[in-house]
Amino acid sequence: MHAPLTFHPFRPVDVAGSENLSPIVGNRVELQLITTLRCNLKCTYCSASVGDVLGSQGNVSYSLDHLDAFIARHLSGYEVYVTFYGGEPTLNRPFMQAVMDRYPSFRFQLQTNGTLLDDLPDSVLARLSNVLVSIDGGEAVTDGYRGRGIYRQVVKNVAKIRDRLGGTLTARVTWSSAETTFEELDELAQSFDYVYFQFVAMEGAYAPEMVEKRKAVLSRLVEKFFASGERVYPIIPVMGVVRNQVLPSRATELYAGLTQCRVSSHILNIMPDGKIFPCPDMMYMPDMQQGDIVANWLRKSPLQPHPNMPCQNCEAFSWCRGNCMKNLHLAYVKGQNDYRREVVEPICDLVRFLGREVERRDPHAWYARATLAARKVLADNEVYEYVEIMP
Ligand code: SF4
Ligand code: SF4
């Protein structure tokens, strides 16, 4: 049994300065609105298919009046930003448009498989601060998981909407295959503004030789990052580790020291029927329900650090902050030992490796030499608010 995790003390205050007992930590909240649980693709590793969540509900069934009442009761005074999520969110464009019209001062992000991006009207594209486009690396790997021709279709659609998009374009790579190469990720870094990757949570993906192949790619990504002090190489997990090692308070400030994927602090995943869960991969677990839009209730996220989790004694903790709480919860609270051995431990090994690769190249010296513009991109990047940062 490990010692309990300890985090920076943090007592949020409301806008009037008095103590706020809200379940939301901090001053911002992300509403991840699942516009539909339908999808037009059948990706082999889809996490929403676990527990038969995918396809279990169609379009949103609560009304915007319900959402208004919920926001008024629980989120007054917070800076709100919305991520449209799914299934494939663009299958329910009228809902996206209606939310944007109802809450014009919110920030908006879209997470999409990219296949219908070119159908979005200019009025929607112009108001999106960031679009996360799911892609798996190169053409062969992406088409292998998503279906023939999908990679080219997505790249074509991205090029079509680029000039009409108000914000940034981020490739969201689920690093599923050990065959994904440095060149493939580097190519995405040229055609998108940013690349975010996350190691797939799939048993069978981390045999020792597969871990070694991923490490070789990580080394080259880190090497390329440190090759320039003028332009920041836009690979979010590498940027995030560098930022957190150079400016450790940034790793904790928006999350009260909890995980940077926001599930323990300030993200609400709202299912089409209005049920609220912290993590989109755990919507099949009733004990993870955190609230309900229609019944208008909200409690603190139940997905929190637990004394059984090994983070407290981990060399990466100060900058990793617990990476994926779902993985840690399944492995160390639910005691899924096969999942721990086959998924969670190898991913933690890769995260620690990434941190060591950054550390040995002296990120403080890089930051000291970097231009002011590069420092700003590294330190204050808005995209960190839209992704998990750690892989
Ligand atoms: S690498 Fe793993 S054990 Fe270490 S802090 Fe991150 S999630 Fe926790
Ligand atoms: S990183 Fe966070 S949001 Fe993503 S699966 Fe893990 S716990 Fe859920």
Side-chain angles (χ1 to χ4, degrees), residues 117-129:
L117 254 183
D118 54 332
D119 289 344
L120 290 176
D122 286 359
S123 59
V124 168
L125 289 169
R127 283 189 283 174
L128 287 167
S129 295

Side-chain angles (χ1 to χ4, degrees), residues 310-311 314 316-317 320-324 328 348 351-352:
C311 302
C314 174
F317 182 57
C320 169
R321 311 304 307 188
N323 194 8
C324 173
L328 296 174
C348 286
V351 170
R352 286 189 285 263

Side-chain angles (χ1 to χ4, degrees), residues 122-275:
D122 286 359
S123 59
V124 168
L125 289 169
R127 283 189 283 174
L128 287 167
S129 295
N130 186 47
V131 175
L132 285 170
V133 181
S134 302
I135 203 157
D136 298 294
E139 182 169 359
V141 173
T142 300
D143 285 3
Y145 285 112
R146 288 170 185 266
R148 216 150 129 204
I150 296 296
Y151 181 88
R152 283 184 189 215
Q153 187 186 351
V154 169
V155 168
K156 196 173 83 199
N157 284 351
V158 161
K160 266 195 207 167
I161 60 119
R162 224 197 144 106
D163 293 342
R164 295 186 279 143
L165 183 64
T168 47
L169 201 51
T170 302
R172 194 202 184 286
V173 177
T174 301
W175 193 338
S176 314
S177 168
E179 303 311 317
T180 294
T181 63
F182 163 78
E183 285 75 14
E184 288 168 342
L185 296 175
D186 188 53
E187 163 91 29
L188 293 175
Q190 316 302 325
S191 46
F192 286 80
D193 298 313
Y194 295 96
V195 176
Y196 171 70
F197 63 78
Q198 191 170 45
F199 298 122
V200 70
M202 186 171 68
E203 289 178 36
Y206 297 102
E209 66 279 9
M210 296 174 171
V211 171
E212 288 312 308
K213 281 184 178 173
R214 286 185 176 88
K215 284 183 177 174
V217 176
L218 287 174
S219 278
R220 292 192 61 192
L221 292 172
V222 173
E223 189 184 347
K224 181 147 182 184
F225 179 94
F226 283 100
S228 166
E230 311 244 315
R231 178 180 178 261
V232 175
Y233 188 45
I235 309 280
I236 293 286
V238 178
M239 290 169 61
V241 174
V242 172
R243 179 197 68 158
N244 291 354
Q245 290 193 4
V246 175
L247 304 167
S249 65
R250 296 297 177 105
T252 63
E253 69 176 348
L254 291 180
Y255 330 87
L258 301 166
T259 173
Q260 296 166 99
C261 80
R262 317 178 292 295
V263 295
S264 300
S265 53
H266 65 280
I267 187 170
L268 304 178
N269 274 279
I270 302 174
M271 294 183 83
D273 67 0
K275 288 196 177 68

Side-chain angles (χ1 to χ4, degrees), residues 267-289:
I267 187 170
L268 304 178
N269 274 279
I270 302 174
M271 294 183 83
D273 67 0
K275 288 196 177 68
I276 302 171
F277 291 81
C279 167
D281 287 9
M282 301 175 94
M283 297 185 299
Y284 63 95
M285 296 172 76
D287 61 331
M288 280 292 146
Q289 190 178 347

Side-chain angles (χ1 to χ4, degrees), residues 225-226 228-229 242 245-246 358-371 375 378:
F225 179 94
F226 283 100
S228 166
V242 172
Q245 290 193 4
V246 175
V358 167
E359 209 168 0
R360 77 186 177 87
R361 289 179 172 86
D362 198 350
H364 293 272
W366 178 89
Y367 193 72
R369 281 195 313 271
T371 62
R375 285 186 185 197
L378 184 89

